Amino acid sequence: MKVLITGSNGLLGQHLVPLFAQDKQYEVIAACRGVNRLPSQEGYTYEPVNLRNAVSAQQLLEKHRPDVIIHAAAMTQVDECERNKEACWDTNVAATRYLVQAAEKYNAYFLFLSTDFIFDGLEGPYAEDAPANPLSYYGASKVAAERLVKNSKLSWAIVRTVLVYGTAVDMQRSNIITWVKNNLQQGKKIKVVDDQWRTPTLVQDLAEGCKLVADKRSTGVYHISGREMLSPYEMAVQTAHFFKLDARLIEKVNAKTFVQPAKRPAKTGFVIDKAVQELGYQPHSFAEGLEIVAREIK
């Protein structure tokens, strides 16, 4: 069974590819823009591709005819999406449209990755049937892409997630744990908000959740995240204590302290009961996630 994983160089992609490759029922095609940055070059086929081009998307599917597509490629930098709306739309919406249209020809099962930023943060934590009301262009682009998937002729699933953290090779951006750790190790003071709340997600848990959905060919929307509702400040303090760093360098601030192009929802986070009951999904605690990240950093 062929599975195509887009965005394979990203944080999630780097965990999805080996997870599926070690399962003998799957033949894995990893696809991303540019060169392959995955740490292991074996056990899968790599295809450089620009999914913002309809012909490229069509040719990729024509060549491999995947049974399963996991569309993890996206522009996720919220402020960059706000500043460069055309690139955001091309990457998150147009590319999804091209992939869906190509997938319809081969009747592939389509799993799309989405985000808590489709919500306005007034009623969190959110269950799968909560109405979308994005505050940012990034969130709006994901709502539009979700709609394309839902209205397609495909058998589909949408996996939404929240504030993913973990490690990957040659990452262009850090995430909250690595950012806090690196700054505190250098003795730098950092400002971290305490008036936003999320259910942070270990990348291995998200990859496992996606595989549970794909293995069962589950359809519909699934919320895959951690269980604990934490503020970024609480995450930063836990990270400091875990790595035995000076938590006094962390200043608690509110969101108004930062002038950012994109508005953030105050309280998102997910109700994950559906994933737990239907898929057997069992996420790690944030403390366990810290231990896993620490082992990988070593």
Side-chain angles (χ1 to χ4, degrees), residues 225-264:
S225 76
R227 291 182 192 274
E228 296 154 275
M229 184 72 78
L230 298 167
S231 72
Y233 176 76
E234 289 169 328
M235 294 176 227
V237 169
Q238 282 196 41
T239 301
H241 291 328
F242 179 84
F243 288 106
K244 297 183 171 54
L245 298 166
D246 189 356
R248 291 172 300 179
L249 292 168
I250 306 168
E251 183 184 345
K252 185 194 296 188
V253 298
N254 63 40
K256 292 187 177 128
T257 306
F258 303 103
V259 179
Q260 296 170 304
K263 197 173 178 188
R264 269 72 168 169

mmCIF file of all heavy atoms in Angstrom, residues 225-264:
data_model
loop_
_atom_site.group_PDB
_atom_site.id
_atom_site.type_symbol
_atom_site.label_atom_id
_atom_site.label_comp_id
_atom_site.label_asym_id
_atom_site.label_seq_id
_atom_site.Cartn_x
_atom_site.Cartn_y
_atom_site.Cartn_z
ATOM 1 N N SER A 225 -4.024 16.124 20.192
ATOM 2 C CA SER A 225 -3.126 17.021 20.927
ATOM 3 C C SER A 225 -2.781 16.378 22.254
ATOM 4 O O SER A 225 -3.141 15.227 22.520
ATOM 5 C CB SER A 225 -3.794 18.384 21.157
ATOM 6 O OG SER A 225 -4.769 18.303 22.194
ATOM 7 N N GLY A 226 -2.061 17.143 23.105
ATOM 8 C CA GLY A 226 -1.866 16.697 24.471
ATOM 9 C C GLY A 226 -3.157 16.879 25.265
ATOM 10 O O GLY A 226 -4.138 17.428 24.759
ATOM 11 N N ARG A 227 -3.149 16.432 26.520
ATOM 12 C CA ARG A 227 -4.335 16.557 27.380
ATOM 13 C C ARG A 227 -4.312 17.829 28.218
ATOM 14 O O ARG A 227 -5.356 18.377 28.560
ATOM 15 C CB ARG A 227 -4.405 15.384 28.362
ATOM 16 C CG ARG A 227 -4.698 14.037 27.767
ATOM 17 C CD ARG A 227 -4.784 13.009 28.884
ATOM 18 N NE ARG A 227 -4.786 11.648 28.386
ATOM 19 C CZ ARG A 227 -5.876 10.994 27.990
ATOM 20 N NH1 ARG A 227 -7.044 11.600 28.023
ATOM 21 N NH2 ARG A 227 -5.792 9.758 27.543
ATOM 22 N N GLU A 228 -3.098 18.288 28.594
ATOM 23 C CA GLU A 228 -2.980 19.336 29.615
ATOM 24 C C GLU A 228 -3.128 20.734 29.030
ATOM 25 O O GLU A 228 -2.499 21.054 28.025
ATOM 26 C CB GLU A 228 -1.614 19.239 30.291
ATOM 27 C CG GLU A 228 -1.393 17.964 31.063
ATOM 28 C CD GLU A 228 0.085 17.626 31.157
ATOM 29 O OE1 GLU A 228 0.613 16.996 30.227
ATOM 30 O OE2 GLU A 228 0.696 18.018 32.155
ATOM 31 N N MET A 229 -3.955 21.546 29.666
ATOM 32 C CA MET A 229 -4.109 22.946 29.280
ATOM 33 C C MET A 229 -3.050 23.762 30.010
ATOM 34 O O MET A 229 -3.057 23.839 31.247
ATOM 35 C CB MET A 229 -5.514 23.438 29.636
ATOM 36 C CG MET A 229 -5.804 24.846 29.195
ATOM 37 S SD MET A 229 -6.011 25.014 27.400
ATOM 38 C CE MET A 229 -7.678 24.397 27.177
ATOM 39 N N LEU A 230 -2.126 24.330 29.248
ATOM 40 C CA LEU A 230 -1.005 25.074 29.821
ATOM 41 C C LEU A 230 -0.832 26.407 29.107
ATOM 42 O O LEU A 230 -1.090 26.522 27.918
ATOM 43 C CB LEU A 230 0.301 24.280 29.673
ATOM 44 C CG LEU A 230 0.397 22.924 30.386
ATOM 45 C CD1 LEU A 230 1.599 22.146 29.873
ATOM 46 C CD2 LEU A 230 0.499 23.118 31.895
ATOM 47 N N SER A 231 -0.352 27.404 29.836
ATOM 48 C CA SER A 231 0.051 28.658 29.189
ATOM 49 C C SER A 231 1.502 28.508 28.732
ATOM 50 O O SER A 231 2.253 27.695 29.287
ATOM 51 C CB SER A 231 -0.063 29.826 30.172
ATOM 52 O OG SER A 231 0.969 29.759 31.142
ATOM 53 N N PRO A 232 1.924 29.279 27.725
ATOM 54 C CA PRO A 232 3.338 29.238 27.330
ATOM 55 C C PRO A 232 4.273 29.505 28.509
ATOM 56 O O PRO A 232 5.348 28.905 28.604
ATOM 57 C CB PRO A 232 3.429 30.331 26.268
ATOM 58 C CG PRO A 232 2.075 30.328 25.636
ATOM 59 C CD PRO A 232 1.132 30.080 26.780
ATOM 60 N N TYR A 233 3.876 30.395 29.430
ATOM 61 C CA TYR A 233 4.697 30.669 30.612
ATOM 62 C C TYR A 233 4.866 29.401 31.460
ATOM 63 O O TYR A 233 5.975 29.080 31.901
ATOM 64 C CB TYR A 233 4.067 31.782 31.453
ATOM 65 C CG TYR A 233 4.820 32.052 32.741
ATOM 66 C CD1 TYR A 233 6.010 32.763 32.727
ATOM 67 C CD2 TYR A 233 4.326 31.576 33.960
ATOM 68 C CE1 TYR A 233 6.709 32.993 33.917
ATOM 69 C CE2 TYR A 233 5.009 31.802 35.140
ATOM 70 C CZ TYR A 233 6.203 32.509 35.116
ATOM 71 O OH TYR A 233 6.888 32.724 36.293
ATOM 72 N N GLU A 234 3.767 28.678 31.677
ATOM 73 C CA GLU A 234 3.851 27.426 32.453
ATOM 74 C C GLU A 234 4.742 26.404 31.753
ATOM 75 O O GLU A 234 5.529 25.706 32.407
ATOM 76 C CB GLU A 234 2.441 26.843 32.664
ATOM 77 C CG GLU A 234 1.598 27.646 33.630
ATOM 78 C CD GLU A 234 0.133 27.231 33.635
ATOM 79 O OE1 GLU A 234 -0.383 26.801 32.573
ATOM 80 O OE2 GLU A 234 -0.496 27.345 34.695
ATOM 81 N N MET A 235 4.644 26.334 30.426
ATOM 82 C CA MET A 235 5.510 25.422 29.663
ATOM 83 C C MET A 235 6.975 25.820 29.824
ATOM 84 O O MET A 235 7.852 24.961 29.992
ATOM 85 C CB MET A 235 5.144 25.445 28.174
ATOM 86 C CG MET A 235 3.779 24.901 27.838
ATOM 87 S SD MET A 235 3.458 25.119 26.064
ATOM 88 C CE MET A 235 1.808 25.788 26.092
ATOM 89 N N ALA A 236 7.240 27.128 29.761
ATOM 90 C CA ALA A 236 8.610 27.629 29.872
ATOM 91 C C ALA A 236 9.199 27.318 31.250
ATOM 92 O O ALA A 236 10.353 26.883 31.360
ATOM 93 C CB ALA A 236 8.642 29.133 29.604
ATOM 94 N N VAL A 237 8.410 27.520 32.311
ATOM 95 C CA VAL A 237 8.882 27.250 33.677
ATOM 96 C C VAL A 237 9.159 25.754 33.857
ATOM 97 O O VAL A 237 10.193 25.367 34.420
ATOM 98 C CB VAL A 237 7.867 27.771 34.724
ATOM 99 C CG1 VAL A 237 8.217 27.267 36.121
ATOM 100 C CG2 VAL A 237 7.827 29.292 34.703
ATOM 101 N N GLN A 238 8.250 24.906 33.366
ATOM 102 C CA GLN A 238 8.474 23.457 33.454
ATOM 103 C C GLN A 238 9.737 23.058 32.703
ATOM 104 O O GLN A 238 10.505 22.206 33.153
ATOM 105 C CB GLN A 238 7.270 22.694 32.884
ATOM 106 C CG GLN A 238 6.078 22.625 33.813
ATOM 107 C CD GLN A 238 5.077 21.554 33.396
ATOM 108 O OE1 GLN A 238 5.457 20.456 32.987
ATOM 109 N NE2 GLN A 238 3.794 21.863 33.494
ATOM 110 N N THR A 239 9.951 23.678 31.536
ATOM 111 C CA THR A 239 11.147 23.390 30.741
ATOM 112 C C THR A 239 12.405 23.797 31.500
ATOM 113 O O THR A 239 13.391 23.047 31.559
ATOM 114 C CB THR A 239 11.085 24.129 29.387
ATOM 115 O OG1 THR A 239 9.914 23.702 28.676
ATOM 116 C CG2 THR A 239 12.317 23.853 28.535
ATOM 117 N N ALA A 240 12.378 24.984 32.106
ATOM 118 C CA ALA A 240 13.526 25.460 32.888
ATOM 119 C C ALA A 240 13.848 24.505 34.038
ATOM 120 O O ALA A 240 15.012 24.121 34.244
ATOM 121 C CB ALA A 240 13.246 26.862 33.434
ATOM 122 N N HIS A 241 12.827 24.098 34.780
ATOM 123 C CA HIS A 241 13.042 23.192 35.910
ATOM 124 C C HIS A 241 13.588 21.847 35.442
ATOM 125 O O HIS A 241 14.490 21.287 36.065
ATOM 126 C CB HIS A 241 11.734 22.994 36.698
ATOM 127 C CG HIS A 241 11.291 24.216 37.445
ATOM 128 N ND1 HIS A 241 12.173 25.134 37.983
ATOM 129 C CD2 HIS A 241 10.043 24.690 37.742
ATOM 130 C CE1 HIS A 241 11.506 26.105 38.582
ATOM 131 N NE2 HIS A 241 10.208 25.863 38.442
ATOM 132 N N PHE A 242 13.047 21.348 34.336
ATOM 133 C CA PHE A 242 13.472 20.038 33.842
ATOM 134 C C PHE A 242 14.958 20.041 33.480
ATOM 135 O O PHE A 242 15.699 19.117 33.818
ATOM 136 C CB PHE A 242 12.640 19.607 32.625
ATOM 137 C CG PHE A 242 13.051 18.269 32.075
ATOM 138 C CD1 PHE A 242 12.557 17.103 32.621
ATOM 139 C CD2 PHE A 242 13.982 18.182 31.039
ATOM 140 C CE1 PHE A 242 12.969 15.866 32.141
ATOM 141 C CE2 PHE A 242 14.393 16.956 30.556
ATOM 142 C CZ PHE A 242 13.875 15.793 31.109
ATOM 143 N N PHE A 243 15.387 21.099 32.769
ATOM 144 C CA PHE A 243 16.788 21.171 32.330
ATOM 145 C C PHE A 243 17.696 21.840 33.374
ATOM 146 O O PHE A 243 18.857 22.125 33.093
ATOM 147 C CB PHE A 243 16.881 21.917 30.994
ATOM 148 C CG PHE A 243 16.341 21.129 29.827
ATOM 149 C CD1 PHE A 243 15.113 21.459 29.261
ATOM 150 C CD2 PHE A 243 17.050 20.053 29.308
ATOM 151 C CE1 PHE A 243 14.604 20.728 28.185
ATOM 152 C CE2 PHE A 243 16.551 19.317 28.238
ATOM 153 C CZ PHE A 243 15.328 19.660 27.672
ATOM 154 N N LYS A 244 17.123 22.081 34.602
ATOM 155 C CA LYS A 244 17.883 22.686 35.703
ATOM 156 C C LYS A 244 18.494 24.027 35.285
ATOM 157 O O LYS A 244 19.678 24.294 35.504
ATOM 158 C CB LYS A 244 18.963 21.713 36.205
ATOM 159 C CG LYS A 244 18.363 20.425 36.787
ATOM 160 C CD LYS A 244 19.427 19.510 37.343
ATOM 161 C CE LYS A 244 18.834 18.336 38.108
ATOM 162 N NZ LYS A 244 17.846 17.561 37.353
ATOM 163 N N LEU A 245 17.645 24.858 34.681
ATOM 164 C CA LEU A 245 18.047 26.193 34.252
ATOM 165 C C LEU A 245 17.343 27.235 35.122
ATOM 166 O O LEU A 245 16.402 26.907 35.862
ATOM 167 C CB LEU A 245 17.704 26.394 32.768
ATOM 168 C CG LEU A 245 18.426 25.427 31.822
ATOM 169 C CD1 LEU A 245 17.803 25.444 30.436
ATOM 170 C CD2 LEU A 245 19.916 25.760 31.739
ATOM 171 N N ASP A 246 17.778 28.470 35.045
ATOM 172 C CA ASP A 246 17.285 29.522 35.937
ATOM 173 C C ASP A 246 15.937 30.080 35.469
ATOM 174 O O ASP A 246 15.865 30.895 34.547
ATOM 175 C CB ASP A 246 18.321 30.651 36.003
ATOM 176 C CG ASP A 246 17.987 31.674 37.084
ATOM 177 O OD1 ASP A 246 16.914 31.545 37.723
ATOM 178 O OD2 ASP A 246 18.804 32.602 37.287
ATOM 179 N N ALA A 247 14.870 29.651 36.126
ATOM 180 C CA ALA A 247 13.518 30.094 35.759
ATOM 181 C C ALA A 247 13.293 31.571 36.075
ATOM 182 O O ALA A 247 12.347 32.186 35.582
ATOM 183 C CB ALA A 247 12.473 29.241 36.475
ATOM 184 N N ARG A 248 14.172 32.167 36.873
ATOM 185 C CA ARG A 248 14.029 33.594 37.196
ATOM 186 C C ARG A 248 14.290 34.480 35.977
ATOM 187 O O ARG A 248 13.943 35.655 35.973
ATOM 188 C CB ARG A 248 14.983 33.971 38.328
ATOM 189 C CG ARG A 248 14.606 33.356 39.676
ATOM 190 C CD ARG A 248 15.675 33.594 40.710
ATOM 191 N NE ARG A 248 16.960 33.014 40.295
ATOM 192 C CZ ARG A 248 18.088 33.085 40.994
ATOM 193 N NH1 ARG A 248 18.093 33.712 42.167
ATOM 194 N NH2 ARG A 248 19.197 32.550 40.550
ATOM 195 N N LEU A 249 14.905 33.891 34.948
ATOM 196 C CA LEU A 249 15.150 34.633 33.697
ATOM 197 C C LEU A 249 13.873 34.756 32.860
ATOM 198 O O LEU A 249 13.846 35.484 31.876
ATOM 199 C CB LEU A 249 16.243 33.944 32.868
ATOM 200 C CG LEU A 249 17.662 33.963 33.453
ATOM 201 C CD1 LEU A 249 18.565 33.014 32.687
ATOM 202 C CD2 LEU A 249 18.229 35.375 33.426
ATOM 203 N N ILE A 250 12.835 34.029 33.264
ATOM 204 C CA ILE A 250 11.580 34.037 32.503
ATOM 205 C C ILE A 250 10.646 35.090 33.092
ATOM 206 O O ILE A 250 10.249 34.993 34.257
ATOM 207 C CB ILE A 250 10.886 32.659 32.546
ATOM 208 C CG1 ILE A 250 11.838 31.549 32.089
ATOM 209 C CG2 ILE A 250 9.628 32.665 31.683
ATOM 210 C CD1 ILE A 250 11.334 30.147 32.384
ATOM 211 N N GLU A 251 10.289 36.063 32.279
ATOM 212 C CA GLU A 251 9.364 37.110 32.729
ATOM 213 C C GLU A 251 7.957 36.809 32.231
ATOM 214 O O GLU A 251 7.742 36.584 31.042
ATOM 215 C CB GLU A 251 9.828 38.480 32.203
ATOM 216 C CG GLU A 251 8.949 39.620 32.703
ATOM 217 C CD GLU A 251 9.335 40.971 32.105
ATOM 218 O OE1 GLU A 251 10.442 41.083 31.530
ATOM 219 O OE2 GLU A 251 8.512 41.902 32.195
ATOM 220 N N LYS A 252 7.013 36.808 33.161
ATOM 221 C CA LYS A 252 5.606 36.568 32.818
ATOM 222 C C LYS A 252 5.005 37.863 32.254
ATOM 223 O O LYS A 252 5.056 38.907 32.909
ATOM 224 C CB LYS A 252 4.849 36.140 34.074
ATOM 225 C CG LYS A 252 3.406 35.748 33.843
ATOM 226 C CD LYS A 252 2.635 35.672 35.149
ATOM 227 C CE LYS A 252 3.157 34.597 36.079
ATOM 228 N NZ LYS A 252 2.254 34.443 37.264
ATOM 229 N N VAL A 253 4.475 37.803 31.054
ATOM 230 C CA VAL A 253 3.867 38.982 30.425
ATOM 231 C C VAL A 253 2.516 38.600 29.818
ATOM 232 O O VAL A 253 2.178 37.422 29.728
ATOM 233 C CB VAL A 253 4.784 39.572 29.314
ATOM 234 C CG1 VAL A 253 6.108 40.050 29.884
ATOM 235 C CG2 VAL A 253 5.005 38.556 28.186
ATOM 236 N N ASN A 254 1.739 39.612 29.389
ATOM 237 C CA ASN A 254 0.513 39.307 28.662
ATOM 238 C C ASN A 254 0.718 39.548 27.172
ATOM 239 O O ASN A 254 1.716 40.143 26.757
ATOM 240 C CB ASN A 254 -0.695 40.074 29.214
ATOM 241 C CG ASN A 254 -0.546 41.576 29.070
ATOM 242 O OD1 ASN A 254 -0.066 42.077 28.056
ATOM 243 N ND2 ASN A 254 -0.964 42.307 30.090
ATOM 244 N N ALA A 255 -0.220 39.076 26.396
ATOM 245 C CA ALA A 255 -0.076 39.092 24.944
ATOM 246 C C ALA A 255 0.073 40.501 24.373
ATOM 247 O O ALA A 255 0.665 40.690 23.310
ATOM 248 C CB ALA A 255 -1.260 38.380 24.296
ATOM 249 N N LYS A 256 -0.440 41.493 25.093
ATOM 250 C CA LYS A 256 -0.357 42.878 24.604
ATOM 251 C C LYS A 256 1.084 43.404 24.600
ATOM 252 O O LYS A 256 1.368 44.432 24.003
ATOM 253 C CB LYS A 256 -1.234 43.792 25.468
ATOM 254 C CG LYS A 256 -2.725 43.514 25.299
ATOM 255 C CD LYS A 256 -3.557 44.548 26.032
ATOM 256 C CE LYS A 256 -5.040 44.290 25.795
ATOM 257 N NZ LYS A 256 -5.820 44.212 27.000
ATOM 258 N N THR A 257 1.965 42.693 25.298
ATOM 259 C CA THR A 257 3.382 43.093 25.350
ATOM 260 C C THR A 257 4.014 43.046 23.954
ATOM 261 O O THR A 257 4.925 43.809 23.651
ATOM 262 C CB THR A 257 4.161 42.137 26.289
ATOM 263 O OG1 THR A 257 3.516 42.115 27.549
ATOM 264 C CG2 THR A 257 5.607 42.566 26.455
ATOM 265 N N PHE A 258 3.527 42.110 23.134
ATOM 266 C CA PHE A 258 4.127 41.901 21.817
ATOM 267 C C PHE A 258 3.274 42.522 20.726
ATOM 268 O O PHE A 258 2.051 42.359 20.720
ATOM 269 C CB PHE A 258 4.296 40.404 21.533
ATOM 270 C CG PHE A 258 5.113 39.696 22.572
ATOM 271 C CD1 PHE A 258 4.501 38.903 23.530
ATOM 272 C CD2 PHE A 258 6.491 39.831 22.605
ATOM 273 C CE1 PHE A 258 5.248 38.247 24.500
ATOM 274 C CE2 PHE A 258 7.248 39.178 23.571
ATOM 275 C CZ PHE A 258 6.623 38.388 24.514
ATOM 276 N N VAL A 259 3.921 43.208 19.816
ATOM 277 C CA VAL A 259 3.224 43.721 18.635
ATOM 278 C C VAL A 259 3.494 42.727 17.502
ATOM 279 O O VAL A 259 4.609 42.621 17.010
ATOM 280 C CB VAL A 259 3.740 45.130 18.250
ATOM 281 C CG1 VAL A 259 3.017 45.623 17.002
ATOM 282 C CG2 VAL A 259 3.550 46.096 19.398
ATOM 283 N N GLN A 260 2.464 41.959 17.153
ATOM 284 C CA GLN A 260 2.607 40.919 16.133
ATOM 285 C C GLN A 260 1.587 41.153 15.021
ATOM 286 O O GLN A 260 0.455 41.546 15.290
ATOM 287 C CB GLN A 260 2.389 39.536 16.764
ATOM 288 C CG GLN A 260 3.447 39.181 17.803
ATOM 289 C CD GLN A 260 3.077 37.930 18.584
ATOM 290 O OE1 GLN A 260 2.010 37.846 19.195
ATOM 291 N NE2 GLN A 260 3.965 36.944 18.584
ATOM 292 N N PRO A 261 1.980 40.891 13.781
ATOM 293 C CA PRO A 261 1.053 41.103 12.657
ATOM 294 C C PRO A 261 -0.246 40.302 12.780
ATOM 295 O O PRO A 261 -1.309 40.792 12.439
ATOM 296 C CB PRO A 261 1.864 40.649 11.436
ATOM 297 C CG PRO A 261 3.288 40.773 11.846
ATOM 298 C CD PRO A 261 3.323 40.474 13.309
ATOM 299 N N ALA A 262 -0.133 39.068 13.267
ATOM 300 C CA ALA A 262 -1.312 38.189 13.334
ATOM 301 C C ALA A 262 -1.850 38.099 14.754
ATOM 302 O O ALA A 262 -1.090 37.988 15.720
ATOM 303 C CB ALA A 262 -0.954 36.794 12.833
ATOM 304 N N LYS A 263 -3.153 38.141 14.868
ATOM 305 C CA LYS A 263 -3.816 38.006 16.170
ATOM 306 C C LYS A 263 -3.857 36.526 16.561
ATOM 307 O O LYS A 263 -4.128 35.667 15.721
ATOM 308 C CB LYS A 263 -5.235 38.565 16.074
ATOM 309 C CG LYS A 263 -5.867 38.855 17.412
ATOM 310 C CD LYS A 263 -7.207 39.559 17.245
ATOM 311 C CE LYS A 263 -7.854 39.787 18.618
ATOM 312 N NZ LYS A 263 -9.216 40.294 18.490
ATOM 313 N N ARG A 264 -3.570 36.256 17.838
ATOM 314 C CA ARG A 264 -3.604 34.881 18.346
ATOM 315 C C ARG A 264 -4.872 34.646 19.166
ATOM 316 O O ARG A 264 -5.299 35.525 19.915
ATOM 317 C CB ARG A 264 -2.418 34.620 19.272
ATOM 318 C CG ARG A 264 -1.161 34.063 18.607
ATOM 319 C CD ARG A 264 -0.457 35.046 17.777
ATOM 320 N NE ARG A 264 0.874 34.565 17.386
ATOM 321 C CZ ARG A 264 1.613 35.150 16.475
ATOM 322 N NH1 ARG A 264 1.183 36.237 15.847
ATOM 323 N NH2 ARG A 264 2.804 34.677 16.159
#
